[in-house]
Coordinates of all heavy atoms in Angstrom, one line a residue:
M282 N -4.2 41.2 16.4 CA -3.7 39.9 16.0 C -4.7 39.2 15.1 O -5.8 39.2 15.3 CB -3.4 39.0 17.2 CG -2.9 37.7 16.9 SD -2.0 36.8 18.2 CE -3.2 36.2 19.2
T283 N -4.1 38.7 14.0 CA -5.0 38.0 13.0 C -5.2 36.6 13.4 O -4.4 36.0 14.1 CB -4.3 38.0 11.6 OG1 -3.1 37.4 11.7 CG2 -4.2 39.5 11.1
N284 N -6.3 36.1 13.0 CA -6.7 34.7 13.3 C -6.3 33.8 12.1 O -7.1 33.6 11.2 CB -8.2 34.6 13.6 CG -8.6 33.7 14.7 OD1 -7.7 33.0 15.3 ND2 -9.8 33.5 15.0
R285 N -5.1 33.3 12.1 CA -4.6 32.6 11.0 C -4.9 31.1 11.2 O -5.0 30.6 12.3 CB -3.1 32.7 10.8 CG -2.7 34.1 10.6 CD -1.3 34.3 10.3 NE -0.4 33.4 11.0 CZ 0.9 33.6 11.1 NH1 1.4 34.7 10.7 NH2 1.6 32.7 11.8
R286 N -5.2 30.4 10.0 CA -5.4 29.0 10.1 C -4.3 28.3 9.3 O -3.9 28.8 8.2 CB -6.8 28.7 9.4 CG -7.9 29.3 10.3 CD -9.2 29.2 9.6 NE -10.1 28.2 10.0 CZ -10.6 27.9 11.2 NH1 -10.1 28.5 12.2 NH2 -11.4 26.9 11.5
F287 N -3.9 27.2 9.8 CA -2.7 26.4 9.2 C -3.2 25.0 8.8 O -3.9 24.4 9.5 CB -1.6 26.3 10.2 CG -1.1 27.7 10.6 CD1 -1.5 28.3 11.8 CD2 -0.1 28.3 9.9 CE1 -1.0 29.5 12.2 CE2 0.4 29.5 10.3 CZ 0.0 30.1 11.4
P288 N -2.5 24.4 7.9 CA -2.2 25.0 6.6 C -3.4 25.2 5.8 O -4.5 24.8 6.2 CB -1.3 24.0 6.0 CG -1.6 22.7 6.6 CD -2.1 23.0 8.0
E289 N -3.3 25.8 4.7 CA -4.5 26.2 3.9 C -4.9 25.1 2.9 O -5.7 25.3 2.0 CB -4.2 27.5 3.1 CG -4.0 28.7 4.0 CD -5.2 29.0 4.8 OE1 -6.4 28.8 4.3 OE2 -5.0 29.4 6.0
E290 N -4.4 23.9 3.0 CA -4.8 22.8 2.2 C -6.2 22.4 2.4 O -6.7 22.3 3.6 CB -3.9 21.5 2.5 CG -2.4 21.7 2.2 CD -2.2 21.8 0.8 OE1 -2.9 21.1 0.0 OE2 -1.3 22.5 0.4
P291 N -7.0 22.2 1.4 CA -8.4 22.0 1.5 C -8.7 20.6 2.2 O -9.8 20.5 2.8 CB -9.0 22.0 0.1 CG -7.8 21.8 -0.8 CD -6.6 22.3 0.0
T292 N -7.8 19.7 2.1 CA -8.0 18.4 2.7 C -7.4 18.2 4.1 O -7.6 17.2 4.7 CB -7.4 17.3 1.8 OG1 -6.0 17.5 1.7 CG2 -8.1 17.2 0.4
Y293 N -6.7 19.2 4.6 CA -6.1 19.1 5.9 C -7.1 19.0 7.0 O -8.0 19.8 7.1 CB -5.2 20.4 6.1 CG -4.6 20.5 7.5 CD1 -3.5 19.6 7.8 CD2 -5.0 21.4 8.5 CE1 -3.0 19.7 9.1 CE2 -4.5 21.5 9.7 CZ -3.4 20.6 10.0 OH -2.9 20.7 11.3
D294 N -7.0 18.0 7.8 CA -7.9 17.8 8.9 C -7.2 17.1 10.1 O -7.0 15.9 10.1 CB -9.1 16.9 8.5 CG -10.2 16.8 9.6 OD1 -10.0 17.4 10.7 OD2 -11.2 16.1 9.4
P295 N -6.7 18.0 11.0 CA -5.9 17.4 12.1 C -6.8 16.5 13.1 O -6.2 15.7 13.8 CB -5.4 18.7 12.8 CG -6.4 19.7 12.5 CD -6.9 19.4 11.1
N296 N -8.1 16.7 13.0 CA -8.9 15.9 13.9 C -8.9 14.5 13.6 O -8.9 13.6 14.6 CB -10.4 16.4 13.8 CG -10.5 17.8 14.3 OD1 -10.0 18.2 15.4 ND2 -11.2 18.7 13.6
K297 N -8.6 14.1 12.4 CA -8.6 12.6 12.0 C -7.4 12.0 12.7 O -7.5 10.9 13.3 CB -8.4 12.5 10.5 CG -9.7 12.8 9.8 CD -9.5 12.6 8.3 CE -10.8 13.0 7.5 NZ -10.6 12.9 6.1
V298 N -6.2 12.7 12.7 CA -5.1 12.1 13.4 C -5.2 12.0 14.9 O -4.8 11.1 15.5 CB -3.8 12.7 12.9 CG1 -3.6 14.1 13.5 CG2 -2.6 11.9 13.2
L299 N -5.7 13.1 15.4 CA -5.9 13.1 16.9 C -6.9 12.0 17.3 O -6.6 11.3 18.3 CB -6.4 14.5 17.3 CG -5.5 15.7 17.1 CD1 -6.2 17.0 17.5 CD2 -4.2 15.5 17.8
D300 N -8.0 11.9 16.6 CA -9.0 10.9 16.9 C -8.4 9.5 16.8 O -8.7 8.6 17.6 CB -10.2 11.0 16.1 CG -11.0 12.3 16.4 OD1 -10.8 12.8 17.6 OD2 -11.8 12.7 15.6
A301 N -7.6 9.3 15.7 CA -6.9 7.9 15.5 C -6.0 7.6 16.6 O -6.0 6.4 17.1 CB -6.2 7.9 14.2
I302 N -5.3 8.5 17.2 CA -4.4 8.3 18.3 C -5.1 8.0 19.5 O -4.8 7.0 20.3 CB -3.4 9.4 18.5 CG1 -2.4 9.5 17.3 CG2 -2.6 9.2 19.8 CD1 -1.6 10.8 17.2
I303 N -6.2 8.7 19.8 CA -7.1 8.5 20.9 C -7.6 7.1 20.9 O -7.6 6.3 21.9 CB -8.2 9.5 21.0 CG1 -7.6 10.9 21.5 CG2 -9.3 9.0 21.9 CD1 -8.6 12.0 21.4
E304 N -8.1 6.7 19.7 CA -8.6 5.3 19.5 C -7.5 4.3 19.7 O -7.8 3.3 20.4 CB -9.3 5.2 18.1 CG -9.9 3.8 17.9 CD -10.6 3.8 16.6 OE1 -11.2 4.8 16.1 OE2 -10.6 2.7 16.0
R305 N -6.4 4.4 19.1 CA -5.3 3.4 19.2 C -4.9 3.2 20.6 O -4.6 2.1 21.0 CB -4.2 3.8 18.3 CG -3.0 2.9 18.5 CD -2.0 2.7 17.5 NE -2.5 2.1 16.3 CZ -1.7 1.8 15.3 NH1 -0.4 2.1 15.3 NH2 -2.2 1.3 14.2
L306 N -4.7 4.4 21.4 CA -4.2 4.3 22.7 C -5.3 4.1 23.8 O -5.1 4.0 24.9 CB -3.5 5.5 23.1 CG -2.2 5.8 22.2 CD1 -1.6 7.1 22.7 CD2 -1.2 4.7 22.3
Q307 N -6.6 4.0 23.2 CA -7.8 3.8 24.1 C -7.8 4.8 25.2 O -8.1 4.6 26.3 CB -7.8 2.4 24.6 CG -7.9 1.3 23.6 CD -7.9 -0.1 24.2 OE1 -7.4 -0.3 25.3 NE2 -8.4 -1.0 23.4
L308 N -7.7 6.1 24.8 CA -7.7 7.2 25.7 C -9.2 7.7 25.8 O -10.0 7.5 24.9 CB -6.8 8.4 25.2 CG -5.3 8.0 25.1 CD1 -4.6 9.2 24.4 CD2 -4.8 7.6 26.4
K309 N -9.5 8.4 26.9 CA -10.8 8.8 27.1 C -11.2 10.1 26.4 O -12.3 10.2 25.9 CB -11.0 9.0 28.6 CG -12.4 8.9 29.1 CD -12.4 8.9 30.6 CE -13.8 8.7 31.1 NZ -13.9 8.6 32.6
N310 N -10.2 11.0 26.3 CA -10.6 12.3 25.8 C -9.3 13.1 25.4 O -8.2 12.6 25.5 CB -11.4 13.1 26.7 CG -10.8 13.2 28.1 OD1 -9.5 13.2 28.3 ND2 -11.6 13.2 29.2
D311 N -9.5 14.4 25.0 CA -8.3 15.2 24.6 C -7.4 15.5 25.8 O -6.2 15.7 25.6 CB -8.8 16.5 24.0 CG -9.3 16.4 22.6 OD1 -9.1 15.3 22.0 OD2 -9.8 17.4 22.0
A312 N -7.9 15.6 27.0 CA -7.1 15.8 28.2 C -6.1 14.6 28.3 O -4.9 14.8 28.6 CB -7.9 16.0 29.4
A313 N -6.6 13.4 28.2 CA -5.7 12.2 28.3 C -4.7 12.3 27.1 O -3.6 11.9 27.3 CB -6.6 11.0 28.2
L314 N -5.1 12.7 26.0 CA -4.2 12.8 24.8 C -3.1 13.8 25.1 O -2.0 13.5 24.8 CB -5.0 13.1 23.5 CG -4.1 13.3 22.3 CD1 -3.4 12.0 21.9 CD2 -5.0 13.8 21.1
S315 N -3.5 14.9 25.7 CA -2.5 15.9 26.0 C -1.5 15.4 27.0 O -0.3 15.7 26.9 CB -3.1 17.2 26.5 OG -3.6 17.1 27.7
R316 N -1.9 14.6 27.9 CA -1.0 14.0 28.9 C 0.0 13.0 28.2 O 1.2 13.0 28.4 CB -1.7 13.4 30.0 CG -2.3 14.4 31.0 CD -2.9 13.7 32.3 NE -4.0 12.8 32.0 CZ -5.3 13.2 31.9 NH1 -5.6 14.5 32.1 NH2 -6.3 12.3 31.7
A317 N -0.6 12.2 27.3 CA 0.2 11.2 26.6 C 1.2 11.9 25.7 O 2.4 11.4 25.6 CB -0.7 10.3 25.8
L318 N 0.8 13.0 25.1 CA 1.8 13.7 24.2 C 2.7 14.6 25.0 O 3.6 15.2 24.4 CB 1.0 14.5 23.2 CG 0.2 13.7 22.1 CD1 -0.6 14.6 21.3 CD2 1.2 12.9 21.2
E319 N 2.4 14.8 26.2 CA 3.2 15.7 27.1 C 3.1 17.2 26.6 O 4.1 17.8 26.5 CB 4.6 15.2 27.2 CG 4.7 13.8 27.9 CD 6.1 13.3 28.0 OE1 7.1 13.9 27.5 OE2 6.3 12.2 28.5
V320 N 1.9 17.6 26.3 CA 1.7 19.0 25.9 C 0.5 19.5 26.8 O -0.3 18.7 27.3 CB 1.3 19.2 24.4 CG1 2.5 18.7 23.5 CG2 0.1 18.4 24.0
A321 N 0.4 20.8 26.8 CA -0.7 21.4 27.6 C -2.0 21.2 26.8 O -2.0 21.2 25.6 CB -0.4 22.9 27.8
P322 N -3.1 21.0 27.6 CA -4.4 20.8 26.9 C -4.8 21.9 25.9 O -5.4 21.5 24.8 CB -5.4 20.8 28.1 CG -4.6 20.3 29.2 CD -3.2 20.9 29.0
P323 N -4.5 23.2 26.1 CA -4.8 24.1 25.0 C -4.1 23.9 23.7 O -4.7 24.3 22.6 CB -4.4 25.5 25.6 CG -4.4 25.2 27.1 CD -4.0 23.8 27.3
V324 N -3.0 23.2 23.7 CA -2.3 22.8 22.4 C -3.2 21.9 21.6 O -3.4 22.2 20.4 CB -0.9 22.2 22.7 CG1 -0.3 21.7 21.4 CG2 0.0 23.2 23.4
I325 N -3.8 21.0 22.2 CA -4.7 20.1 21.5 C -5.9 20.8 20.9 O -6.3 20.6 19.8 CB -5.2 18.9 22.4 CG1 -4.0 18.1 22.9 CG2 -6.2 17.9 21.6 CD1 -3.1 17.5 21.8
S326 N -6.5 21.7 21.8 CA -7.6 22.5 21.3 C -7.3 23.4 20.1 O -8.0 23.5 19.2 CB -8.1 23.4 22.5 OG -9.2 24.2 22.1
K327 N -6.1 24.0 20.2 CA -5.7 24.9 19.1 C -5.4 24.1 17.8 O -5.7 24.5 16.7 CB -4.4 25.7 19.5 CG -4.7 26.7 20.5 CD -3.4 27.4 20.9 CE -3.8 28.5 22.0 NZ -2.5 29.2 22.5
I328 N -4.9 22.9 18.0 CA -4.7 22.0 16.8 C -6.1 21.6 16.2 O -6.3 21.7 15.0 CB -3.9 20.8 17.1 CG1 -2.4 21.2 17.4 CG2 -4.0 19.7 16.0 CD1 -1.6 20.1 17.9
R329 N -7.0 21.3 17.1 CA -8.4 20.9 16.6 C -9.1 22.0 15.9 O -9.8 21.8 15.0 CB -9.2 20.4 17.8 CG -8.9 19.0 18.2 CD -10.1 18.3 18.8 NE -9.8 17.0 19.3 CZ -9.9 15.9 18.6 NH1 -10.3 16.0 17.4 NH2 -9.6 14.7 19.1
H330 N -8.9 23.2 16.4 CA -9.5 24.4 15.8 C -8.7 25.0 14.7 O -9.0 26.1 14.2 CB -9.8 25.4 16.9 CG -10.9 25.0 17.8 ND1 -10.6 24.3 19.0 CD2 -12.3 25.0 17.7 CE1 -11.8 24.0 19.6 NE2 -12.8 24.4 18.8
R331 N -7.6 24.3 14.3 CA -6.7 24.7 13.2 C -6.1 26.1 13.4 O -5.9 26.8 12.4 CB -7.5 24.7 11.9 CG -8.0 23.3 11.6 CD -8.7 23.2 10.3 NE -9.3 21.9 10.1 CZ -9.9 21.5 9.0 NH1 -9.9 22.3 7.9 NH2 -10.4 20.4 8.9
T332 N -5.9 26.5 14.6 CA -5.1 27.8 14.8 C -3.7 27.5 15.1 O -2.9 28.4 15.2 CB -5.8 28.6 16.0 OG1 -5.8 27.8 17.1 CG2 -7.2 29.0 15.6
L333 N -3.3 26.2 15.3 CA -1.9 25.8 15.5 C -1.7 24.6 14.7 O -2.4 23.6 14.7 CB -1.7 25.5 17.0 CG -0.3 25.1 17.4 CD1 0.6 26.2 17.3 CD2 -0.3 24.5 18.8
P334 N -0.7 24.6 13.8 CA -0.4 23.5 13.0 C 0.3 22.4 13.8 O 0.9 22.6 14.8 CB 0.6 24.0 11.9 CG 1.3 25.1 12.6 CD 0.3 25.8 13.6
I335 N 0.2 21.2 13.3 CA 1.0 20.1 13.9 C 2.4 20.2 13.4 O 2.7 20.0 12.2 CB 0.3 18.7 13.5 CG1 -1.1 18.6 14.1 CG2 1.2 17.6 14.0 CD1 -1.8 17.3 13.7
G336 N 3.3 20.6 14.3 CA 4.7 20.8 14.0 C 5.5 19.5 14.1 O 4.9 18.4 14.4
A337 N 6.7 19.6 13.7 CA 7.6 18.4 13.6 C 7.7 17.8 15.0 O 7.7 16.5 15.1 CB 8.9 18.8 13.1
T338 N 7.9 18.5 16.0 CA 8.1 18.0 17.4 C 6.9 17.1 17.8 O 7.0 16.0 18.3 CB 8.4 19.1 18.4 OG1 9.5 19.8 17.9 CG2 8.7 18.5 19.8
I339 N 5.7 17.7 17.7 CA 4.5 17.0 18.1 C 4.2 15.8 17.2 O 3.8 14.7 17.6 CB 3.3 17.9 18.3 CG1 2.2 17.2 19.2 CG2 2.7 18.3 17.0 CD1 1.2 18.1 19.7
L340 N 4.5 15.9 15.9 CA 4.4 14.8 15.0 C 5.3 13.7 15.4 O 4.8 12.5 15.4 CB 4.7 15.3 13.5 CG 4.5 14.3 12.4 CD1 3.0 13.9 12.3 CD2 5.0 14.8 11.1
L341 N 6.5 14.0 15.7 CA 7.4 12.9 16.2 C 6.9 12.2 17.5 O 7.0 11.0 17.7 CB 8.8 13.4 16.4 CG 9.6 13.7 15.1 CD1 10.9 14.5 15.5 CD2 9.9 12.4 14.4
R342 N 6.4 13.1 18.4 CA 5.9 12.5 19.6 C 4.6 11.6 19.3 O 4.5 10.6 20.0 CB 5.5 13.7 20.6 CG 5.0 13.2 21.9 CD 6.2 12.6 22.8 NE 5.6 12.1 24.0 CZ 5.8 10.9 24.5 NH1 6.7 10.1 23.9 NH2 5.2 10.6 25.6
M343 N 3.8 12.0 18.4 CA 2.6 11.2 18.0 C 3.1 9.9 17.5 O 2.5 8.8 17.8 CB 1.8 11.9 16.9 CG 1.1 13.1 17.4 SD 0.3 14.0 16.0 CE -0.8 15.1 16.9
H344 N 4.1 9.9 16.7 CA 4.7 8.7 16.2 C 5.2 7.8 17.3 O 5.0 6.6 17.3 CB 5.8 9.0 15.2 CG 6.8 7.9 14.9 ND1 6.4 6.8 14.2 CD2 8.1 7.7 15.2 CE1 7.5 6.0 14.1 NE2 8.5 6.5 14.7
E345 N 5.9 8.4 18.2 CA 6.5 7.6 19.3 C 5.5 6.9 20.2 O 5.7 5.7 20.6 CB 7.4 8.5 20.2 CG 8.7 9.0 19.6 CD 9.4 10.1 20.4 OE1 8.8 10.6 21.4 OE2 10.5 10.4 20.0
I346 N 4.4 7.6 20.5 CA 3.4 7.0 21.4 C 2.4 6.1 20.7 O 1.8 5.2 21.4 CB 2.7 8.1 22.3 CG1 1.8 8.9 21.4 CG2 3.7 8.9 23.1 CD1 0.8 9.8 22.2
S347 N 2.2 6.3 19.4 CA 1.2 5.5 18.8 C 1.6 4.4 17.9 O 0.9 3.5 17.5 CB 0.4 6.5 17.9 OG 1.1 6.9 16.8
D348 N 2.9 4.4 17.5 CA 3.5 3.5 16.5 C 2.9 3.6 15.1 O 3.1 2.8 14.3 CB 3.4 2.0 17.0 CG 4.4 1.7 18.1 OD1 5.5 2.3 18.1 OD2 4.1 0.8 18.9
F349 N 2.2 4.7 14.9 CA 1.8 5.1 13.5 C 3.1 5.6 12.8 O 3.9 6.3 13.5 CB 0.8 6.2 13.4 CG -0.6 5.7 13.7 CD1 -1.3 6.3 14.7 CD2 -1.2 4.8 12.9 CE1 -2.7 5.9 15.0 CE2 -2.5 4.4 13.2 CZ -3.3 4.9 14.2
S350 N 3.3 5.3 11.6 CA 4.5 5.9 10.9 C 4.2 7.3 10.6 O 3.1 7.8 10.6 CB 4.8 5.1 9.6 OG 3.8 5.4 8.6
I351 N 5.3 8.1 10.4 CA 5.2 9.5 10.0 C 4.3 9.6 8.8 O 3.4 10.5 8.7 CB 6.5 10.2 9.8 CG1 7.4 10.1 11.2 CG2 6.4 11.6 9.3 CD1 6.8 10.9 12.3
R352 N 4.5 8.7 7.9 CA 3.8 8.7 6.6 C 2.3 8.5 6.9 O 1.4 9.2 6.3 CB 4.3 7.7 5.7 CG 3.7 7.7 4.3 CD 4.4 6.8 3.4 NE 5.7 7.4 3.2 CZ 6.5 7.1 2.2 NH1 6.2 6.3 1.3 NH2 7.7 7.7 2.1
E353 N 2.0 7.6 7.8 CA 0.6 7.3 8.1 C -0.1 8.5 8.8 O -1.2 8.9 8.5 CB 0.5 6.1 9.1 CG 0.7 4.8 8.4 CD 0.8 3.6 9.4 OE1 1.5 3.8 10.4 OE2 0.1 2.7 9.2
L354 N 0.7 9.2 9.7 CA 0.2 10.3 10.4 C -0.1 11.5 9.4 O -1.2 12.1 9.5 CB 1.1 10.8 11.5 CG 1.3 9.8 12.7 CD1 2.5 10.2 13.5 CD2 0.0 9.8 13.5
R355 N 0.8 11.7 8.5 CA 0.6 12.8 7.5 C -0.5 12.5 6.6 O -1.3 13.4 6.3 CB 1.9 13.0 6.7 CG 3.0 13.6 7.5 CD 4.3 13.7 6.8 NE 4.2 14.5 5.5 CZ 4.3 15.8 5.4 NH1 4.6 16.5 6.5 NH2 4.2 16.4 4.2
A356 N -0.7 11.2 6.2 CA -1.8 10.8 5.4 C -3.2 11.0 6.1 O -4.1 11.5 5.5 CB -1.7 9.4 4.9
M357 N -3.2 10.7 7.4 CA -4.4 10.9 8.1 C -4.8 12.4 8.2 O -6.0 12.7 8.2 CB -4.3 10.4 9.5 CG -4.5 8.9 9.6 SD -4.4 8.4 11.4 CE -2.8 7.6 11.4
M358 N -3.8 13.3 8.3 CA -4.0 14.7 8.4 C -4.4 15.3 7.0 O -4.9 16.4 6.9 CB -2.7 15.4 8.8 CG -2.4 15.2 10.3 SD -1.0 16.3 10.8 CE 0.3 15.6 9.9
G359 N -4.2 14.5 6.0 CA -4.4 15.0 4.6 C -3.3 15.8 4.1 O -3.5 16.6 3.1
V360 N -2.1 15.6 4.6 CA -0.9 16.3 4.1 C -0.2 15.4 3.2 O 0.2 14.3 3.5 CB 0.0 16.7 5.3 CG1 1.3 17.4 4.7 CG2 -0.7 17.7 6.2
P361 N 0.0 15.8 1.9 CA 0.7 14.9 1.0 C 2.1 14.6 1.4 O 2.8 15.4 2.0 CB 0.7 15.7 -0.4 CG 0.5 17.1 0.0 CD -0.3 17.1 1.3
A362 N 2.6 13.4 1.0 CA 4.0 13.1 1.2 C 4.9 14.0 0.5 O 4.6 14.4 -0.6 CB 4.2 11.6 0.8
V363 N 6.0 14.3 1.1 CA 7.0 15.2 0.5 C 8.0 14.3 -0.3 O 8.5 13.3 0.1 CB 7.9 15.9 1.6 CG1 8.9 16.7 0.9 CG2 7.0 16.7 2.4
S364 N 8.1 14.6 -1.6 CA 9.0 13.9 -2.4 C 10.3 14.6 -2.5 O 10.3 15.9 -2.7 CB 8.4 13.7 -3.9 OG 8.2 14.9 -4.5
I365 N 11.4 13.9 -2.5 CA 12.7 14.5 -2.5 C 13.4 13.9 -3.7 O 13.5 12.7 -3.9 CB 13.5 14.2 -1.2 CG1 12.8 14.7 0.0 CG2 14.9 14.7 -1.3 CD1 13.4 14.3 1.3
N366 N 13.9 14.8 -4.5 CA 14.7 14.4 -5.7 C 16.2 14.3 -5.3 O 16.8 15.3 -5.2 CB 14.5 15.4 -6.8 CG 15.1 14.9 -8.1 OD1 15.8 13.9 -8.1 ND2 14.9 15.6 -9.2
L367 N 16.7 13.1 -5.1 CA 18.1 13.0 -4.7 C 19.0 13.1 -5.9 O 20.2 13.1 -5.7 CB 18.3 11.6 -4.1 CG 17.4 11.4 -2.8 CD1 17.6 10.0 -2.3 CD2 17.8 12.4 -1.7
N368 N 18.5 13.1 -7.1 CA 19.3 13.3 -8.3 C 19.5 14.7 -8.7 O 20.2 15.0 -9.8 CB 18.7 12.5 -9.5 CG 18.7 11.0 -9.2 OD1 19.6 10.5 -8.6 ND2 17.6 10.3 -9.6
A369 N 19.0 15.6 -8.0 CA 19.1 17.0 -8.4 C 20.5 17.6 -8.1 O 21.2 17.2 -7.3 CB 18.1 17.9 -7.7

């Protein structure tokens, strides 16, 4: 099995968003964050070590519990906003 890292963007840093949520919710650590997000603790570890990307489901859950907008969460991660051309 290969050790893939997601995504390959040079500015991508999932730790910023995880730390911001911990701070906003005044959580003690990643274990408390995993409980708040309702995911297993290894999921947070894999996200921190960039072996698991932050997917849509967990991004939505982050939005729900933190009241950060999806745009704010993506910006914290270093993921550019997706532009949609509605005139195409």
Side-chain angles (χ1 to χ4, degrees):
M282 178 156 78
T283 60
N284 218 0
R285 299 187 328 200
R286 294 172 102 52
F287 300 95
E289 293 300 325
E290 295 292 324
T292 58
Y293 175 72
D294 186 0
N296 294 315
K297 289 180 183 177
V298 73
L299 296 175
D300 292 340
I302 294 169
I303 286 173
E304 184 177 322
R305 172 154 297 183
L306 299 179
Q307 299 180 336
L308 301 173
K309 201 170 184 179
N310 52 34
D311 283 352
L314 177 61
S315 71
R316 287 189 295 274
L318 291 171
E319 299 176 358
V320 298
V324 171
I325 302 299
S326 178
K327 288 177 183 179
I328 289 172
R329 281 208 185 270
H330 291 95
R331 300 182 189 187
T332 57
L333 182 69
I335 295 177
T338 304
I339 196 162
L340 186 65
L341 286 171
R342 185 70 184 131
M343 289 174 169
H344 162 68
E345 290 171 351
I346 68 167
S347 70
D348 283 333
F349 282 123
S350 71
I351 298 294
R352 186 170 294 201
E353 288 173 310
L354 293 169
R355 289 176 58 88
M357 281 185 253
M358 289 187 290
V360 176
V363 177
S364 64
I365 298 172
N366 185 355
L367 298 176
N368 297 321

